[in-house]
Amino acid sequence: MRKAEVRRKTRETEIHLKLNIDGEGKCEVHGSPGFFIHMLETFACHGCFDIWGELQGDTHVDFHHLVEDTGLVLGQVFREALAGKKGIKRAGFFYFPMDETLVRAAVDLSARPYVHFKADLGTADVGQF
């Protein structure tokens, strides 16, 4: 099984994640904000891998440190679990039609540290997130 575990501790956050790529889509992540945890649960469910985690951070200030550092740890735990990316193609894409939206994702496993996130979130109320 392709599994990994990563911990990251900074002045602002303490993140601990475990990943089983060959899982069942289970997610047990403790932390806040609730919307972010919900998105991680959705990510695991639709990706058919298991994530366990503890997320702590200075959320009394803002959520951005927690979200950034969780993203960094997710990248690290996937890299370790993939162990050299044997059998994995470099890039892929996916379209996911949902009730009122279409999600498009393109993934490049080249190890370049870059993300492009484009979304018009409008005025939807998702709390402080």
Side-chain angles (χ1 to χ4, degrees):
M1 286 239 217
R2 298 174 295 173
K3 297 180 180 180
E5 180 175 357
V6 173
R7 294 176 188 266
R8 174 183 171 92
K9 184 172 181 163
T10 69
R11 255 184 1 185
E12 293 88 9
T13 64
E14 188 169 346
I15 312 292
H16 179 200
L17 290 179
K18 295 179 185 178
L19 171 71
N20 176 4
I21 290 180
D22 303 308
E24 301 173 4
K26 297 177 183 175
C27 181
E28 186 179 328
V29 176
H30 303 282
S32 65
F35 179 73
F36 183 51
I37 302 303
H38 169 69
M39 295 309 293
L40 290 171
E41 291 168 346
T42 303
F43 180 56
C45 177
H46 293 293
C48 298
F49 44 80
D50 299 339
I51 301 175
W52 176 92
E54 295 286 342
L55 313 178
Q56 295 180 22
D58 59 355
T59 56
H60 63 284
V61 174
D62 191 278
F63 294 117
H64 81 275
H65 289 141
L66 189 67
V67 173
E68 286 173 344
D69 286 358
T70 301
L72 290 170
V73 172
L74 270 173
Q76 292 170 339
V77 79
F78 268 97
R79 181 176 41 218
E80 286 187 23
L82 289 171
K85 299 183 268 187
K86 184 174 181 171
I88 303 290
K89 295 185 185 269
R90 177 183 157 166
F93 66 92
F94 186 74
Y95 284 81
F96 186 60
M98 297 169 68
D99 291 341
E100 297 173 354
T101 191
L102 174 64
V103 176
R104 296 177 293 173
V107 177
D108 181 353
L109 297 176
S110 68
R112 287 190 303 262
Y114 177 79
V115 66
H116 176 82
F117 177 79
K118 182 178 180 181
D120 179 10
L121 300 177
T123 58
D125 182 14
V126 291
Q128 294 179 5
F129 189 75

